[in-house]
Amino acid sequence: MQNSILRLIWILPVILSIAFYSYAHDSIIVTGEVKNILPDGSRTLIINECDPGEKSERRVVSLDSTAVFREEIPLAYPHTFTINYTRGNFINLFAEPGDSIHISIDASKAPFTYHLTGDKARFNEQYAHACQDLNHLLYTVDIPKDSVDNTEFMSIFKREYKRVTTELDKYIAKNNIDQDVASLLRIGTLFDMSNMTLDYWIDRSAEDRIAFITDDVFDLLNPDNTKLMIFPYHISSLGDLMPEFITSLPKSTLRDIMYAMEAEYAGQLPSPTDFYNEGYYDRIFEKNDKGDLNLTNIPDGNFFAYKGGEIAEIENRNVLEWIKDFCKGKTAYLDVSATWCGPCRNAIKGSQSIRKHFEGTDVVFVILWLKSDIETWKKLAPTIDNAVQVFVNDDDTSNLIIGALGVNGFPTYKFINRDGSMVSEDVPHFMNPYLIEYLKLRSGL
């Protein structure tokens, strides 16, 4: 008996250390409180970890009766994430696996105020407020016309980047921003600006696209860039254009991200031993099909539908139930998008011919707009052909839909079968050349 107790005493620290290692290297703890919520104020918020691929964690958090929350969020490598409370109010933060971060929000102010404590509190106080203070700079960027060639485009782009970073550096100096924070702000500015260039290079020749995205200004193979949450979307473009880059890189967080963002593997998945973080492999390639449309916790309410050239307000209905009823007996390709999302709008614009191809068939295209500006949508809706559009104007309902559908980022694509069940895994995006064949096979056409 004594030996058993001694053995347990010896092994317990080992068990605890293993458990701590698993937590410390796979997740973070985010806690918080929202004070002074107005009677009609939001009682949900979103924590968006923005991991690569389909496993990105967009956690919808319902505040308890005391408006307090505690969430454990997957985080496989150090990078930024966001907390979103009320539309347009994104709080940008940085964490490493094992960190614990606390945020206190005062909802009585407009815009609301917040204070951060816990790990990297000083870093995140500076970084979060700087991101908000500097957001206006992006609206001053003048991206060149589509008609110019690569050389001229990049020359203008770099000139604009230099101008914007000059203003950024003035802010950094004036506010005594720490150098590690300043470095992340510069990286973020570059990638935010590069998001604006999608309209230019997405329709170029393969040679022009490769020349553009591999330009030295982007420094895509710099491992420091993995600290930025939107970086995977840029590195995925490089992987799609030059997949041989993935296997040519040594084991690293950078290669893990490239594997995670690679959509097609021609039947041959990478091996877990190819990963720098082998535990990350399990998360990335674990299947996660949601099944039936999840209507749980989605309240009845008002929303807008655009069909037949008219916008109609639908009153006191569950929006997912309405979509399910509208598509009953047919198959549906569901595109969950946001009006402010450049890739969303580019994909919708570039796929007009696909929707035209299926006009008059049992394939229905539904665009569900969440977390969006209604005036922008009213102007955009008439320009999109052969699709039923649904616009949800309530933030809490949008958040709950994001949770119900497992939306990990915009755009997200789902397929709805004739019986109302939903396919979440391996649904081709709007610009995937396999989409037409996929829709025909799924719909029996």
Side-chain angles (χ1 to χ4, degrees), residues 197-241:
T197 68
L198 285 173
D199 276 339
Y200 174 77
W201 67 266
I202 201 166
D203 292 325
R204 297 277 158 170
S205 68
E207 292 78 9
D208 277 354
R209 291 170 67 188
I210 290 172
F212 178 86
I213 205 164
T214 57
D215 191 281
D216 288 344
V217 69
F218 297 119
D219 199 16
L220 283 178
L221 297 183
N222 183 346
D224 283 345
N225 293 342
T226 63
K227 295 176 181 177
L228 193 72
M229 67 183 295
I230 64 172
F231 172 74
Y233 297 103
H234 296 271
I235 204 69
S236 68
S237 299
L238 185 61
D240 288 342
L241 292 171

Side-chain angles (χ1 to χ4, degrees), residues 337-354:
S337 283
T339 54
W340 46 263
C341 167
C344 301
R345 295 175 62 162
N346 282 326
I348 292 169
K349 177 183 176 182
S351 58
Q352 294 273 30
S353 61
I354 293 177

Side-chain angles (χ1 to χ4, degrees), residues 7-19:
R7 192 176 298 113
L8 179 60
I9 291 172
W10 176 84
I11 200 171
L12 187 58
V14 177
I15 294 171
L16 290 174
S17 67
I18 292 172

Side-chain angles (χ1 to χ4, degrees), residues 106-401:
D106 185 348
S108 66
K109 309 291 178 64
F112 64 74
T113 58
Y114 58 88
H115 179 61
L116 294 154
T117 53
D119 293 312
K120 298 179 179 59
R122 176 182 169 86
F123 184 107
N124 280 321
E125 278 284 340
Q126 290 190 0
Y127 181 63
H129 286 99
C131 286
Q132 291 183 330
D133 292 345
L134 294 165
N135 188 52
H136 72 279
L137 280 179
L138 296 176
Y139 294 103
T140 71
V141 174
D142 186 15
I143 296 297
K145 302 290 186 183
D146 292 357
S147 56
V148 304
D149 63 22
N150 255 21
T151 302
E152 184 180 355
F153 187 97
M154 289 309 301
S155 175
I156 298 172
F157 178 87
K158 290 174 184 178
R159 187 170 67 236
E160 282 290 281
Y161 176 59
K162 183 177 181 179
R163 180 185 64 79
V164 171
T165 51
T166 297
E167 293 301 313
L168 171 60
D169 288 341
K170 291 178 183 177
Y171 176 92
I172 289 169
K174 180 180 178 181
N175 293 278
N176 297 313
I177 301 296
D178 294 346
Q179 285 306 305
D180 52 353
V181 179
S183 175
L184 193 56
L185 288 171
R186 292 187 186 99
I187 294 172
T189 298
L190 175 62
F191 284 107
D192 282 334
M193 284 183 61
S194 67
N195 273 346
M196 302 176 185
T197 68
L198 285 173
D199 276 339
Y200 174 77
W201 67 266
I202 201 166
D203 292 325
R204 297 277 158 170
S205 68
E207 292 78 9
D208 277 354
R209 291 170 67 188
I210 290 172
F212 178 86
I213 205 164
T214 57
D215 191 281
D216 288 344
V217 69
F218 297 119
D219 199 16
L220 283 178
L221 297 183
N222 183 346
D224 283 345
N225 293 342
T226 63
K227 295 176 181 177
L228 193 72
M229 67 183 295
I230 64 172
F231 172 74
Y233 297 103
H234 296 271
I235 204 69
S236 68
S237 299
L238 185 61
D240 288 342
L241 292 171
M242 290 175 287
E244 67 277 4
F245 266 26
I246 299 179
T247 53
S248 70
L249 290 173
K251 285 185 183 181
S252 61
T253 297
L254 181 61
R255 189 166 77 168
D256 285 358
I257 291 173
M258 292 189 78
Y259 274 132
M261 292 302 293
E262 179 64 26
E264 308 294 339
Y265 284 97
Q268 184 64 46
L269 291 178
S271 165
T273 58
D274 290 336
F275 271 64
Y276 176 71
N277 179 355
E278 290 191 26
Y280 189 38
Y281 174 94
D282 296 329
R283 182 186 181 209
I284 292 300
F285 295 106
E286 177 187 0
K287 289 294 182 181
N288 184 31
D289 205 312
K290 285 283 183 180
D292 289 347
L293 268 175
N294 187 348
L295 308 181
T296 307
N297 296 327
I298 306 298
D300 290 347
N302 297 358
F303 55 91
F304 297 93
Y306 182 88
K307 53 179 184 170
E310 301 287 340
I311 293 178
E313 184 171 10
I314 311 298
E315 298 182 346
N316 200 31
R317 286 290 307 273
N318 181 308
V319 62
L320 295 185
E321 190 175 72
W322 186 90
I323 291 173
K324 189 174 180 178
D325 289 346
F326 180 84
C327 301
K328 190 173 183 179
K330 299 183 179 182
T331 58
Y333 185 75
L334 177 63
D335 170 11
V336 187
S337 283
T339 54
W340 46 263
C341 167
C344 301
R345 295 175 62 162
N346 282 326
I348 292 169
K349 177 183 176 182
S351 58
Q352 294 273 30
S353 61
I354 293 177
R355 297 194 300 277
K356 178 70 175 176
H357 179 84
F358 287 97
E359 188 177 12
T361 72
D362 281 347
V363 179
V364 178
F365 292 88
V366 180
I367 303 173
L368 176 58
W369 298 100
L370 303 177
K371 310 291 285 185
S372 298
D373 175 68
I374 191 166
E375 295 305 321
T376 301
W377 174 67
K378 285 179 178 179
K379 295 175 183 176
L380 180 65
T383 68
I384 301 170
D385 298 326
N386 302 314
V388 173
Q389 300 178 58
V390 179
F391 184 95
V392 176
N393 201 34
D394 179 72
D395 270 346
D396 279 341
T397 302
S398 285
N399 290 348
L400 293 171
I401 291 171

